[in-house]
Amino acid sequence: MSVTADATTYPVDQRNRVKRRHDRGFYDHATVHALLDAAILCHVSYVVDGQPYCTPTLFWREGNHLYWHGSSASRMLRNLSDGQPACLTVTHLDSLVLARCGFNHSADYRSVMCFGQARLVEDAEEKRRALVMMVDRFFPDRTAGLRQSTAQEIKATAVVVMEIERASAKIRAKGVADDDEDYELPVYAERLPVQTVIGAPEPCPRLLPGVARPANLAGYRAGRLLEEALAEAHVQAYAPG
Amino acid sequence: MSVTADATTYPVDQRNRVKRRHDRGFYDHATVHALLDAAILCHVSYVVDGQPYCTPTLFWREGNHLYWHGSSASRMLRNLSDGQPACLTVTHLDSLVLARCGFNHSADYRSVMCFGQARLVEDAEEKRRALVMMVDRFFPDRTAGLRQSTAQEIKATAVVVMEIERASAKIRAKGVADDDEDYELPVYAERLPVQTVIGAPEPCPRLLPGVARPANLAGYRAGRLLEEALAEAHVQAYAPG
C-alpha cells in the first residue's frame, strides 16, 4: 500500500503507517487536524537515557505545528530543548463494545499519533505569541482582558514546539461487530457510549462585584461535549483576519 | 526529600519522582491503584530504534501487574515481547481552570505514570487467565456466558504484562488559584468541570428474541461517571472468593 504525500496528506513511512487494522488508518490533514483540535489533553512520549516517558500535558495545534508548555525546570522540557524525537498522541474514547465472544470485545475510539522533533521555543517573539495562544486558542481573545504576564512568569514557562513530520489517525466507529455465525447465539451484546462533557461552570468565589462571565465563553456550557467546544474555539481563535 | 518504600508505597527514584510541583506527587499504592482502576484507556510509551511511540490501549491492573493486549502482529507488542522498558500513563481530566492571568490558567487532573519492563505473556495458563480478565475485569463474570475463544483467536491475541517497579501519581484539585494581589482585579475567573460519562446503552440490533441486558451490567448506566462504574467493576472482579 502506497500513500502519496501532497498538500493535504501527511507522508507515510514505517513510523506512522497503521499496520494493524490498516482499514482504520487515515493520513489526511483534515482528519488528523480535526482530532487534534477537538482535544486539550495529549500524551507526549520521549526518551531519556533509553527510558521512555509518557507525560500528559495540555497542547494546541497551529498549522502543522503542535505546542505544549511546562516549567522550565521540568524533566520533559529540559530533555526536549535541543530537538528530540517525540510522539504526541490524542485519543477520544467513544464507546465500550460488548460482543458475543471475548475476542470481539472492543471500543470505539478516534486517535491520532504525531511524530516529529520537539524543540524549545527560544525566540522571544515566538514565545510571547505562543503564551498568548496557549490561552486564546481555548478561550478566544481572553488574554487581552487578563493581568499581563510578568517577565518572571515568561521566563519560568517553557514552550515546546514540534512540527508534524508524520501523523496517522486511527478510527473505530462500528459498535458491535461479531462473527457472522455468532449472531445466532443467545448472548447479550451492546455498544456502551462514552462522552466527555462540560459541567456547570463554577465562577471563582472571589470575583469582584459586577464581574460577569464573558459572552465569548458561551460555547463552554454545561452538558455540551468538551470536544465540540474545543473545536469551535479553535476555529474562532485562528479565523482569518 | 526521601520517600521510604514499604508494602504500601512504591519506591521512588529519579525515574518517577515528581520534580515539578512535588506537592502534587503521591507514591502510595492506594492512590496509584485507585487512579488506574478508574480507567480503561491508557497510553503506553516504548522505544523502537531510538524513536519513542505513544500508543493508546485498553488495560487493567491485577495486584502490582498491568496487562494490556493487542494483535500478535502489532508493532508495539512485537517490540515489547522480550522485556522492554515501558511507561504506562493514565490521566483523568477534571476541569479547565480560567484564572486572572495567563500563567495561572491550568487544569485539574489526576494522572499516574507507571514504569517497568513489559514482556509478552507466553505461559498458556497465564494467557488464558488474562484473556478472561480482559473482559471480566470490566464486566464481572461475563466470559462464562460468551461463545468460548477459539485456539486461533487466542493465538492471534498477544497479552503484555508489566510489573509496576516505580509509579507516581500527580493530582491537581484546587480550581482557580490566583496570585493574592490578582484577586483585586476585575477579571472573570472560573473552574470549568469536565466529566467522562456513560451514555444510554445501545443493545445490538441483532439480539435474539428474549435476550435481555444482564443484571450485572447495571453499574454501567446512562449518566454515571465512567470511572465510578470501572472502579466498582474492578472491586467486584477481584473480590476475595
Side-chain angles (χ1 to χ4, degrees):
Chain A
M1 185 176 83
S2 170
V3 176
T4 305
D6 60 25
T8 59
T9 304
Y10 286 106
V12 178
D13 67 9
Q14 69 165 20
R15 258 185 305 176
N16 66 318
R17 177 171 290 120
V18 175
K19 295 183 181 177
R20 275 284 304 154
R21 307 283 182 131
H22 56 74
D23 55 307
R24 299 182 187 170
F26 300 87
Y27 307 94
D28 60 290
H29 285 199
T31 302
V32 166
H33 294 176
L35 294 181
L36 293 169
D37 299 345
I40 183 170
L41 174 72
C42 70
H43 287 77
V44 179
S45 286
Y46 59 103
V47 188
V48 180
D49 296 333
Q51 172 69 51
Y53 289 83
C54 181
T55 301
T57 188
L58 307 186
F59 84 105
W60 73 101
R61 179 186 72 87
E62 186 169 306
N64 279 331
H65 291 81
L66 300 173
Y67 289 88
W68 63 95
H69 83 291
S71 160
S72 298
S74 85
R75 178 199 293 125
M76 172 172 78
L77 298 185
R78 273 185 292 120
N79 284 288
L80 290 177
S81 64
D82 52 348
Q84 294 286 334
C87 176
L88 184 152
T89 297
V90 164
T91 307
H92 303 275
L93 180 65
D94 292 326
S95 82
L96 312 186
V97 173
L98 289 77
R100 292 169 176 81
C101 68
F103 190 73
N104 286 328
H105 276 65
S106 187
D108 288 328
Y109 59 88
R110 292 161 291 144
S111 68
V112 57
M113 297 173 71
C114 299
F115 299 89
Q117 305 289 321
R119 68 171 176 80
L120 207 60
V121 172
E122 298 187 285
D123 177 79
E125 174 54 23
E126 185 186 2
K127 184 171 179 179
R128 188 203 60 76
R129 198 162 161 282
L131 291 177
V132 169
M133 294 314 293
M134 182 175 72
V135 172
D136 286 10
R137 169 268 176 269
F138 300 106
F139 313 110
D141 300 322
R142 181 164 172 80
T143 298
L146 298 177
R147 190 264 289 155
Q148 295 303 294
S149 296
T150 66
Q152 189 176 358
E153 286 173 342
I154 294 172
K155 190 176 170 188
T157 308
V159 179
V160 177
V161 62
M162 182 179 91
E163 184 176 4
I164 305 173
E165 296 172 1
R166 299 285 185 279
S168 59
K170 199 170 175 184
I171 298 175
R172 185 194 194 275
K174 60 181 178 182
V176 176
D178 267 311
D179 296 0
D180 280 344
E181 58 272 28
D182 289 348
Y183 288 102
E184 305 301 319
L185 299 172
V187 177
Y188 181 80
E190 74 177 18
R191 177 181 184 273
L192 189 68
V194 173
Q195 294 185 326
T196 297
V197 297
I198 297 169
E202 300 167 1
C204 177
R206 296 176 64 178
L207 290 180
L208 292 190
V211 173
R213 196 172 199 244
N216 62 3
L217 289 178
Y220 291 92
R221 58 181 178 269
R224 194 177 193 199
L225 292 182
L226 176 62
E227 67 173 277
E228 279 187 12
L230 292 171
E232 184 177 276
H234 193 277
V235 170
Q236 291 169 3
Y238 287 107
Chain B
M1 187 175 83
S2 171
V3 176
T4 305
D6 59 25
T8 59
T9 303
Y10 285 106
V12 178
D13 67 9
Q14 69 164 20
R15 257 185 304 175
N16 67 317
R17 177 171 288 119
V18 175
K19 294 183 182 179
R20 277 283 306 151
R21 308 282 182 132
H22 56 74
D23 56 307
R24 298 182 187 170
F26 300 86
Y27 308 94
D28 60 290
H29 286 199
T31 301
V32 166
H33 294 175
L35 295 181
L36 293 169
D37 299 346
I40 182 170
L41 174 72
C42 70
H43 287 77
V44 178
S45 286
Y46 59 102
V47 189
V48 180
D49 297 333
Q51 171 70 51
Y53 288 84
C54 182
T55 300
T57 190
L58 307 186
F59 84 105
W60 74 101
R61 178 186 72 88
E62 186 170 308
N64 279 330
H65 291 81
L66 300 172
Y67 289 88
W68 61 96
H69 82 292
S71 161
S72 299
S74 86
R75 178 198 294 124
M76 173 173 77
L77 298 186
R78 273 185 293 120
N79 284 288
L80 289 179
S81 64
D82 52 349
Q84 295 285 334
C87 176
L88 185 152
T89 297
V90 164
T91 307
H92 302 276
L93 180 65
D94 291 326
S95 82
L96 313 186
V97 173
L98 290 77
R100 292 168 176 81
C101 68
F103 190 75
N104 286 329
H105 277 66
S106 188
D108 288 328
Y109 60 88
R110 291 161 291 144
S111 67
V112 56
M113 296 172 72
C114 299
F115 299 89
Q117 306 288 321
R119 68 172 175 81
L120 206 60
V121 173
E122 299 188 284
D123 177 78
E125 174 53 24
E126 185 185 2
K127 184 171 179 180
R128 188 203 60 75
R129 197 161 162 283
L131 291 177
V132 169
M133 294 315 293
M134 181 175 75
V135 171
D136 286 11
R137 169 267 176 271
F138 300 107
F139 313 111
D141 301 322
R142 182 164 173 80
T143 297
L146 298 176
R147 190 265 287 155
Q148 294 302 295
S149 296
T150 65
Q152 188 177 0
E153 287 173 342
I154 294 173
K155 188 176 170 187
T157 307
V159 179
V160 177
V161 62
M162 182 178 91
E163 184 176 4
I164 305 173
E165 296 172 2
R166 299 285 185 280
S168 59
K170 199 170 176 184
I171 298 175
R172 186 193 194 274
K174 60 181 179 184
V176 176
D178 267 311
D179 296 359
D180 280 344
E181 58 272 29
D182 289 348
Y183 287 102
E184 306 301 320
L185 299 172
V187 177
Y188 180 80
E190 74 178 18
R191 176 181 185 275
L192 189 68
V194 172
Q195 294 185 326
T196 298
V197 297
I198 297 169
E202 300 168 0
C204 176
R206 296 175 65 179
L207 289 180
L208 292 190
V211 173
R213 195 172 200 244
N216 61 2
L217 289 178
Y220 291 93
R221 57 179 178 268
R224 194 179 194 197
L225 291 182
L226 176 63
E227 66 173 276
E228 280 187 12
L230 292 171
E232 183 175 277
H234 193 277
V235 170
Q236 291 170 3
Y238 288 107

